[in-house]
Amino acid sequence: MDMIDYPDGEQFSPGHVACAGCAEALSLRVILNTIGPDAIGVVPPSCTAVICGGYPLSSVSIPVQHTTLENAAASASGIKRSLNAMGKPDTTVVCLAGDGGTYDIGLQALSSAAERNEDILYVCFDNEGYMNTGGQKSSSTPLNAITGSTPAGKLSRKKNLVEILAAHRIPYIATCSPAHLSDMSAKIKKAESIRGTKVIIVIIPCLPGWGVADDAAVKTARMAVDSGVFPLYEVEDGVDYTMTINTRNQAVNAYLKQQKRFRHLSDADISDIQADVDWGWEYLLDRAGK
Amino acid sequence: MKGENNIRLLSGNHAVSWGVKLARPQVAPLYPITPQTPILEKLTEFHSRGELDAELLTPESEHSAMSACVAASLTGARVFTATSSQGLLLMHELLHYASGARAPIVMFNVNRTPGSPWAFWPDQIDSLSQRDTGWIKMYSESPQESLDTVIQAFRISEKLSLPLMISHDAFYVSHAVEPVALPQQEQVDSFLPAYKPELRLDTSLGQSFGAPIDQATWNRSRRETAAAMARVENEVLETGKAWGELTGRSYAALEHYRTEGAGVVIVTMGSMCGTVRDAVDALREQGSAVGLLKVRQFRPLPVQTLRNSLAGIPCALVLDRNYSPGMGGILHQELKSALFAMDDAPRVHGFLTGVGGVNVASMKIQQLVTEYADAEPSVDSVWVE
Ligand SMILES: Cc1ncc(C[n+]2csc(CCOP(=O)(O)OP(=O)(O)O)c2C)c(N)n1
Ligand code: SF4
Ligand SMILES: [Mg+2]
């Protein structure tokens, strides 16, 4: 069982404007408190930008550069190099970006930073869509999901960003869930101990975007993990795969059924998704050598 | 209204989507951004219901959206996209490319403040800072005008092989809901012939586009653009007239509102025109001879028509909802240069009103008229609180 064991402190304040029950705010709190005060944040337009605060308020204690949607990794590179030039190489530079800003418009800058192995920590809050603009698809949106720009369901699969990043042979990639906060905190700590480009992808069930109940974000994240839809694992140096949890205990059906974005799925659609998830799970176990 | 019985309550953005649907584009690459997104979502909704028979694509960025627009247009398709602010600015490289390639793309932009700092308010600097990219640029005041203009835009743009950008202001127009007359599909079909370019990427033709050229040929390409630009105003007028015959709503590059015998003419673009109309009515009521000159076509700037319209008028007040740091209001600059060396030009006062989306009330405009009608103008634009 997961023990709740993570630092909680002064790095994130209540009173922010995330939707009540949003697991992104919860994750942000754990991540920022794990990193501590010696850090500078880079935040592109996203729910995080809104949660971090509208002028003159801020819910985060670290300084933040609110940057553009496509350039978080490039901005972080600039901050890191500047800190190096000023003799402060130990300050963490952390990107806090959405999936749109990471899988889509920001991928070029991220790929370039990864290729240079810039010493940055890049956290992607993956709520599988452009939620800040009202919930359109991103390339992280899963097959069949209904969004504002895929009213009949998305026709293509979710992009596998971990594999893309692994191909860059960066030192550390991990997936996290707000239902596994101790693990999230441990992975952030581990990333912090490594020099180079580290990317952590956190699954964030979006209440309005996915159509789940206000109190169901954490439960939904847990189901994503338990069904193998969003496995928790690490990839070191692009080749060393470790499963954080290497068992699954439920089919995808229940996970899909409680989300409005999947409500239109037929039994056949669901078995197709199950087959896809099974394939992905076996692939991962195989890479991890079980 | 001729042949129109279909009046609907539509926001400015949804009026655009209806206009686009009626114009039957074949390819529409789209990327969401507040406050443009309702245009995108309505188009995807039409598409999923089978009411819009177009190739829709949702690329990873506006840079790719505009790249796909250019390529699709050069392959011979009628192309539409929409954006705002950051998205338009990210397209900048391709905006030059599109006009250089003479790709008749129609784009709708929702005017919004660019970052930094982040904000979502109506301000025209996003589109005005694309002034020199070679696009025809039009500004719309209302949902009805946005619908009408987007349909006309395809005809103008395709006729002249020039890309055309229409803008309306964030929220004031994009999200304001008004009754909008929807033309019939047959009316639009008769008005807007299918796009069939002679030159295109086509294996049976073998032509290529955009290969490296020498200085003189590049120079000639821009002279050809200049020749096409010189035809725009007339095309806008002809198209606006033809639209008027069809629907009862005519358009031209400029619109005069109660300028007869005016001592003061207010010159502006976009949503502010509505408030100015109100101010003009109030001032006329009080006995001041004031009118509005609305600039609908900003690029090419209808210089001669502006000169003719303002000749002999004692005073012009320019209201800019934009700010070009170091030089002031852009319409103010443009008007000063348009009236260059005219003997009977008005005294031109420029005001930075509504920068960042702040409200400009009718009363404020009336005060400006009273205060500045007889004053000596300064060369610089004046900030208005
Ligand atoms: C160049 C550019 N295009 C579009 C936008 C509009 N925009 C702001 S946030 C956003 C979606 C971001 O999605 P994601 O990164 O997944 O973050 P989320 O809102 O889901 O947290 C978009 C498209 C922008 N800010 N800049
Ligand atoms: S829109 Fe979704 S991700 Fe954004 S704050 Fe609300 S619940 Fe969280
Ligand atoms: Mg997202």
Side-chain angles (χ1 to χ4, degrees):
Chain A
M1 269 320 282
D2 221 41
M3 295 291 290
I4 305 283
D5 173 23
Y6 56 87
D8 205 2
E10 304 291 308
Q11 296 308 310
F12 187 67
S13 309
H16 55 75
V17 296
C19 304
C22 175
E24 184 165 318
L26 176 63
S27 307
L28 201 52
R29 172 170 147 196
V30 171
I31 291 166
L32 292 175
N33 280 308
T34 303
I35 296 173
D38 188 17
I40 295 177
V42 175
V43 178
S46 56
C47 287
T48 315
V50 178
I51 296 169
C52 284
Y55 174 86
L57 302 175
S58 177
S59 60
V60 302
S61 297
I62 57 169
V64 164
Q65 187 205 352
H66 286 267
T67 193
T68 68
L69 190 53
E70 68 283 356
N71 72 1
S75 300
S77 306
I79 292 173
K80 188 72 205 184
R81 297 305 187 98
S82 176
L83 289 169
N84 287 348
M86 293 183 298
K88 293 188 239 171
D90 296 330
T91 299
T92 299
V93 180
V94 57
C95 295
L96 303 162
D99 50 292
T102 304
Y103 287 66
D104 286 346
I105 195 167
L107 186 60
Q108 176 169 312
L110 177 57
S111 170
S112 177
E115 184 274 328
R116 298 189 307 275
N117 201 23
E118 294 284 350
D119 185 25
I120 59 174
L121 172 57
Y122 192 110
V123 178
C124 171
F125 293 112
D126 187 354
N127 55 18
E128 303 190 326
Y130 297 170
M131 299 316 174
N132 187 270
T133 43
Q136 299 78 33
K137 72 114 206 188
S138 77
S139 58
S140 168
T141 303
L143 182 69
N144 282 323
I146 286 181
T147 70
S149 56
T150 56
K154 184 170 176 254
L155 299 177
S156 53
R157 286 189 175 88
K158 178 182 172 91
K159 186 187 278 182
N160 189 331
L161 184 65
V162 175
E163 290 292 307
I164 293 170
L165 291 166
H168 289 69
R169 304 290 306 269
I170 53 174
Y172 189 68
I173 309 161
T175 59
C176 289
S177 125
H180 302 76
L181 295 176
S182 307
D183 176 59
M184 184 186 294
S185 182
K187 283 171 174 165
I188 293 283
K189 258 191 221 129
K190 181 165 175 181
E192 282 247 89
S193 71
I194 300 169
R195 284 196 91 76
T197 306
K198 291 85 58 177
V199 180
I200 292 187
I201 303 174
V202 187
I203 187 78
I204 302 289
C206 173
L207 309 171
W210 294 18
V212 293
D214 286 359
D215 60 357
V218 172
K219 183 181 105 188
T220 306
R222 182 172 296 281
M223 291 170 92
V225 172
D226 288 350
S227 61
V229 169
F230 191 85
L232 297 186
Y233 64 112
E234 300 168 280
V235 184
E236 285 166 88
D237 299 319
V239 287
D240 241 334
Y241 283 61
T242 309
M243 300 298 289
T244 308
I245 300 174
N246 63 3
T247 52
R248 293 187 287 169
N249 63 19
Q250 54 176 270
V252 298
N253 191 31
Y255 170 73
L256 300 172
K257 279 275 162 76
Q258 51 138 12
Q259 302 176 41
K260 274 205 197 101
R261 62 178 178 159
F262 291 123
R263 199 159 281 172
H264 61 296
L265 296 190
S266 67
D267 289 347
D269 293 333
I270 293 175
S271 7
D272 286 350
I273 292 173
Q274 183 69 59
D276 238 22
V277 169
D278 291 347
W279 185 91
W281 182 259
E282 290 307 322
Y283 172 84
L284 270 186
L285 287 187
D286 193 46
R287 292 299 309 255
K290 311 278 165 180
Chain B
M1 243 155 268
K2 298 181 199 167
E4 283 174 332
N5 44 20
N6 197 358
I7 307 270
R8 284 190 193 220
L9 278 178
L10 294 177
S11 68
N13 279 348
H14 282 174
V16 171
S17 306
W18 274 95
V20 170
K21 174 167 107 81
L22 288 162
R24 301 188 195 270
Q26 293 157 293
V27 179
L30 294 161
Y31 193 84
I33 180 162
T34 306
Q36 162 265 31
T37 310
I39 300 179
L40 176 158
E41 292 198 336
K42 188 49 101 183
L43 288 174
T44 51
E45 187 189 315
F46 287 145
H47 185 258
S48 76
R49 288 205 305 251
E51 295 167 13
L52 173 64
D53 179 22
E55 293 284 338
L56 292 194
L57 61 157
T58 49
E60 90 298 343
S61 72
E62 291 88 352
H63 195 276
S64 291
M66 184 46 68
S67 302
C69 284
V70 174
S73 178
L74 295 182
T75 313
R78 172 169 293 163
V79 177
F80 175 80
T81 191
T83 190
S84 175
S85 182
Q86 302 303 123
L88 182 67
L89 302 179
L90 190 59
M91 287 177 178
H92 180 75
E93 179 191 16
L94 276 306
L95 298 186
H96 279 281
Y97 197 97
S99 66
R102 303 293 299 274
I105 299 155
V106 172
M107 167 156 67
F108 214 99
N109 178 66
V110 184
N111 288 127
R112 166 193 145 184
T113 46
S116 171
W118 287 128
F120 307 88
W121 313 128
D123 184 302
Q124 296 167 348
I125 194 63
D126 58 349
S127 53
L128 287 171
S129 66
Q130 307 309 310
R131 190 183 66 171
D132 303 330
T133 54
W135 285 57
I136 301 170
K137 288 191 193 62
M138 305 185 73
Y139 286 79
S140 160
E141 180 191 347
S142 70
Q144 182 73 64
E145 185 178 355
S146 293
L147 178 140
D148 290 343
T149 304
V150 85
I151 296 169
Q152 294 168 54
F154 286 99
R155 183 155 138 168
I156 299 161
S157 169
E158 289 167 5
K159 180 94 172 269
L160 299 172
S161 295
L162 287 171
L164 193 158
M165 180 194 312
I166 313 153
S167 296
H168 62 203
D169 291 343
F171 304 111
Y172 289 140
V173 184
S174 70
H175 286 60
V177 174
E178 285 180 14
V180 174
L182 289 180
Q184 312 283 354
Q185 184 66 60
E186 310 77 66
Q187 285 180 301
V188 176
D189 289 345
S190 71
F191 176 80
L192 191 58
Y195 179 51
K196 293 224 161 48
E198 257 172 57
L199 302 180
R200 58 187 186 273
L201 289 168
D202 186 326
T203 49
S204 70
L205 298 175
Q207 287 144 345
S208 297
F209 285 82
I213 55 176
D214 62 15
Q215 299 94 318
T217 316
W218 199 94
N219 182 296
R220 198 182 74 214
S221 78
R222 288 334 188 240
R223 287 164 190 251
E224 284 169 4
T225 301
M229 279 285 171
R231 293 170 54 200
V232 170
E233 188 185 347
N234 192 50
E235 203 56 47
V236 165
L237 184 67
E238 291 298 316
T239 306
K241 259 193 210 151
W243 187 251
E245 281 156 23
L246 211 60
T247 65
R249 296 182 300 277
S250 303
Y251 293 90
L254 302 177
E255 184 193 329
H256 296 252
Y257 178 71
R258 303 188 75 174
T259 51
E260 60 293 345
V264 178
V265 168
I266 301 169
V267 188
T268 192
M269 319 196 281
S271 61
M272 194 118 61
C273 294
T275 324
V276 173
R277 285 175 209 273
D278 184 80
V280 164
D281 290 347
L283 288 162
R284 286 264 176 189
E285 189 87 1
Q286 295 155 30
S288 316
V290 179
L292 160 70
L293 183 61
K294 161 172 152 179
V295 178
R296 177 168 175 259
Q297 175 196 309
F298 174 78
R299 268 294 180 277
L301 193 71
V303 171
Q304 196 52 54
T305 315
L306 279 168
R307 290 169 79 95
N308 297 344
S309 304
L310 293 172
I313 305 268
C315 176
L317 305 189
V318 186
L319 307 185
D320 269 296
R321 191 181 274 292
N322 67 82
Y323 170 54
S324 168
M327 192 57 190
I330 292 176
L331 189 58
H332 183 208
Q333 301 168 31
E334 298 266 332
L335 194 71
K336 282 186 294 183
S337 85
L339 303 182
F340 176 72
M342 226 174 102
D343 290 338
D344 51 355
R347 298 185 297 280
V348 178
H349 297 270
F351 299 99
L352 297 163
T353 43
V355 174
V358 297
N359 184 37
V360 184
S362 169
M363 200 47 125
K364 184 85 231 170
I365 296 168
Q366 296 172 46
Q367 277 167 13
L368 289 176
V369 171
T370 316
E371 201 174 322
Y372 287 90
D374 298 317
E376 272 312 302
S378 80
V379 69
D380 296 324
S381 309
V382 176
W383 283 94
V384 174
E385 287 301 312

